[in-house]
């Protein structure tokens, strides 16, 4: 993977202009850049140049940003941006596909698009008195906790109240094949047909905490498309849920009535990050165990240090089947949002999250460059063999590989 375009990176935050100059650069992609089946740059049709000059293209990108963009690229970015801010779900889906790609050139285009969406969102927040225009809620829990059912019931209730709800559902990827089922839409049939809702399943691809590296960017795109409630459903993997907690305003833990005692909750390392714990499936014969689990987790929360000065985590019961406790759970989420906004803690939390996510991406990209380094790739098989035979320690092998990486 080649480095990010220096020209795009240097000028990506330059002020906006209304008209782009004559674009004559030939480094571009063909119109088929967003075709899902294309893994490389497509060839242009016979008789057409790969990048025809574009004269006075109307755009909202800065003059410097478009210096490396050809006419077709610029028109596609403008089309995606206009459709996104216009609330078109198809354009939002295309934009998320663009930021999820691993193609080097498409990743550059995605960053240009994201910068414009960020500027648009910042303008909206300034008009809102500096307060966020959307509420981000992360939901996690063990498999079978009823996360998808809970999200569908809450989502339908919110859209009926006039909200626009987006759901970013992260599905686990197979360790053997690397594939994902991406079946959350099939479990949210009613919500998926709602025109005020948008559901986007994404593969976890082995990332820590069940959150893809582009989930944060997908949240920004959803907010730019006018969705004021963003729900992020993650893979319930135990001790890695801090990943989603570092990109949302509120972290909700969903646990089934048979989820073990409060000690199990503390051991998993999740409950200490939860702003709200919801005991699901609290209906029928499970009401009594649900009440017991609620009492146990309430006691467990008292033993943990408070994360916020403005909020005490709460434990509630709810049933997606009978809708009991669903409106009350959303009322608690709204109370949390109001308290955090009034104290200014929500804004400070988002600022801290941006820094955390930046370092997360830096670590990921450094590891990628390390793995692709020619010297490392050459020395790796021999050192791996020595480690497996016990000839050298894993620590020494790591030091030798790092020295190889840093010496060239």
């Amino acid at each position: 993977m080649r480095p990010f375009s220096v020209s795009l990176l240097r000028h990506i935050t330059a002020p906006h202009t209304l008209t782009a100059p004559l674009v004559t650069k030939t480094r571009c992609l063909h119109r088929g850049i967003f075709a899902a089946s294309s893994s490389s740059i497509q060839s242009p049709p016979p008789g057409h140049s790969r990048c025809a000059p574009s004269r006075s293209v109307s755009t909202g990108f800065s003059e410097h940003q478009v210096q490396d963009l050809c006419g077709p690229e610029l028109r596609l970015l403008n089309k995606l941006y206009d459709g996104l801010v216009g609330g078109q779900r198809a354009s939002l889906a295309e934009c998320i596909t663009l930021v999820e790609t691993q193609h080097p050139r498409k990743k550059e285009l995605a960053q240009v698009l994201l910068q414009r969406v960020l500027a648009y969102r910042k303008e909206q927040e300034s008009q809102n008195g500096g307060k966020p225009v959307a509420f981000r809620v992360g939901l996690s829990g063990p498999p079978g906790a009823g996360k998808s059912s809970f999200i569908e019931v809450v989502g339908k209730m919110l859209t009926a109240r006039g909200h626009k709800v987006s759901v970013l559902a992260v599905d686990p990827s197979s360790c053997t094949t690397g594939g994902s089922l991406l079946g959350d839409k099939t479990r949210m049939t009613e919500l998926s047909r709602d025109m005020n809702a948008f559901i986007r399943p994404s593969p976890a691809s082995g990332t820590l905490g069940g959150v893809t590296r582009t989930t944060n960017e997908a949240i920004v795109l959803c907010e730019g498309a006018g969705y004021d409630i963003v729900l992020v459903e993650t893979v319930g993997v135990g001790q890695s849920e801090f990943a989603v907690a570092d990109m949302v305003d509120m972290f909700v833990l969903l646990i089934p009535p048979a989820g073990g005692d409060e000690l199990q909750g503390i051991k998993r390392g999740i409950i200490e990050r939860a702003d709200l714990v919801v005991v699901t499936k609290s209906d029928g014969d499970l009401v009594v165990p649900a009440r017991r689990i609620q009492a146990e987790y309430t006691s467990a929360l008292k033993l943990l240090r408070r994360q916020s000065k403005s909020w005490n985590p709460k434990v509630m019961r709810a049933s997606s089947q009978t809708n009991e406790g669903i409106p009350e759970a959303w009322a608690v989420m709204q109370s949390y949002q109001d308290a955090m906004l009034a104290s200014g803690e929500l804004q400070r939390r988002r600022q801290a999250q941006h820094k955390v996510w930046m370092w997360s991406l830096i670590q990921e990209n450094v590891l990628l460059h390390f793995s692709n380094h020619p010297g490392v790739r050459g020395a790796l098989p021999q050192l791996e063999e020595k480690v497996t035979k016990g000839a050298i320690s894993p620590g020494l092998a790591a030091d030798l590989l790092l020295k190889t990486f840093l010496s060239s």
Side-chain angles (χ1 to χ4, degrees), residues 5 16 19 46 60 79 100 109 114 120 160 197 205 225 246 254 263 269 303 318 338 368 378 407:
S5 168
H16 292 303
T19 305
K79 178 184 176 182
E100 287 180 345
L109 297 179
L114 279 167
Y120 173 74
S205 302
D246 283 330
L254 304 178
L263 183 60
L303 303 176
D338 294 339
L368 182 62
S407 63

Side-chain angles (χ1 to χ4, degrees), residues 100-116:
E100 287 180 345
T101 184
Q102 294 299 315
H103 190 285
R105 180 57 174 170
K106 295 180 185 179
K107 290 177 72 173
E108 295 177 0
L109 297 179
Q111 292 304 316
V112 176
L113 177 65
L114 279 167
Q115 281 303 129
R116 190 175 181 191

Side-chain angles (χ1 to χ4, degrees), residues 3 9 60 65 138 147 159 225 267 275 290 306 314 328 355 393:
L9 183 60
Q65 283 179 1
K147 296 185 291 293
T159 55
K267 283 199 303 184
D275 301 302
R306 289 176 56 182
K314 294 176 173 53
E328 291 79 3
K355 186 165 64 174
S393 68

Side-chain angles (χ1 to χ4, degrees), residues 1 107 213 360-370:
M1 182 180 69
K107 290 177 72 173
R213 65 175 300 277
S360 174
L361 294 177
I362 288 174
Q363 292 173 4
E364 180 180 324
N365 285 317
V366 167
L367 180 61
L368 182 62
H369 285 294
F370 176 82

Side-chain angles (χ1 to χ4, degrees), residues 145 150 253-259 276-283 286-287 289-295 297 315-319 324:
F150 181 84
L253 174 63
L254 304 178
I255 54 174
L276 173 64
V277 178
V278 178
V279 183
T280 57
K281 305 181 181 181
S282 179
D283 51 63
L286 295 177
V287 171
R291 287 175 178 169
R292 179 178 58 83
I293 292 293
Q294 181 185 16
Y297 270 81
V315 184
M316 303 185 65
R317 289 182 295 111
S319 170
E324 183 181 355

